[in-house]
Amino acid sequence: MNKDFETLIKNGWLTQEEGEMFANNKEMQTAISNCTSPQKENIFRALKEVSIDKIRVFILGKDPYPNPKDAHGLAFSSDNTKTPESLKNIFKAIDKAYNSNLFEQAHNNLTSWVKQGVLLLNTGLTFQKIDGEISLQNKVQRQHMKVWKPFIKLIINKIIAIKDRPIVMMLWGNDAHDIVFKNIKDKDFQKYNHNRGIGVNIIIPDTQIMLLQCSHPSPLTVNRGGDFPQIAPIHFKKCDEYLGKYKINWIKL
């Protein structure tokens, strides 16, 4: 078993048996071998830097930035000096909520959030650049997303099983929304399936986990009328209120 899976076991995300199962998963190992973004040592970075007993906020993205200069294993975070468009919209939302100036600072590495217990995870952990038609690129990336789905579902189930402390899940976009809701067994809870907005506080039954849902911060979604710019600033403040003394300092980068 490689060191990545050993660290995930140590951090409480996997049992020994689960670690061995994924380490021997041929499709996952192929996806890792063919990955062009992020660097291979950063594929599991989000889960390596936040142990399950330290998580306070869970933000779920889609897949890594295609540009390896941007992606470094933390969803939406970037090591590049040029701010990715989705991150620009996140900074605008935070600036609106706290009257800060993150957008102007353009400090794009979100590791400081991670150190406070924010899990910045994607639903797919690898991106493979393909030369050729965009349709082929999309097909390859859909396969990568499919490979990671059982792993991400397991991680979500581990979080939902936490009972002893308040946690906030920020679900940005349909991919994040769907994979989380499909892992909640309570049938009555499905009535909240698309119930999102400024005044909606949803607690997963038998947990202290609050769900805050809005559209994805990507410019494509925002330009098509997505509600992220309107709702996300209020959700950051709601997250603060719910976590109380354990709230995240979002403007500390």
Side-chain angles (χ1 to χ4, degrees), residues 30-71:
T30 298
I32 292 172
S33 297
N34 293 335
C35 175
T36 58
S37 180
Q39 296 293 322
K40 290 181 174 59
E41 63 268 21
N42 287 329
I43 290 173
F44 295 99
R45 184 177 177 184
L47 295 165
K48 288 162 66 176
E49 294 201 5
V50 180
S51 60
I52 195 168
D53 62 323
K54 301 296 184 183
I55 181 174
R56 296 193 227 170
V57 176
F58 178 40
I59 296 178
L60 186 59
K62 187 176 181 182
D63 50 7
Y65 292 124
N67 185 351
K69 292 183 179 180
D70 285 322

Side-chain angles (χ1 to χ4, degrees), residues 178-202:
D178 290 346
I179 197 169
V180 169
F181 270 78
K182 288 177 181 177
N183 280 273
I184 299 172
K185 308 302 181 184
D186 191 312
K187 292 183 179 180
D188 291 336
F189 189 75
Q190 294 305 315
K191 65 185 178 183
Y192 297 114
N193 209 13
H194 296 286
N195 187 3
R196 71 189 198 192
I198 292 174
V200 178
N201 298 331
I202 302 173

Side-chain angles (χ1 to χ4, degrees), residues 229-243:
Q230 294 77 37
I231 296 181
I234 297 169
H235 280 180
F236 280 111
K237 301 291 282 188
K238 280 184 173 291
C239 180
D240 293 346
E241 293 170 6
Y242 190 66
L243 294 179

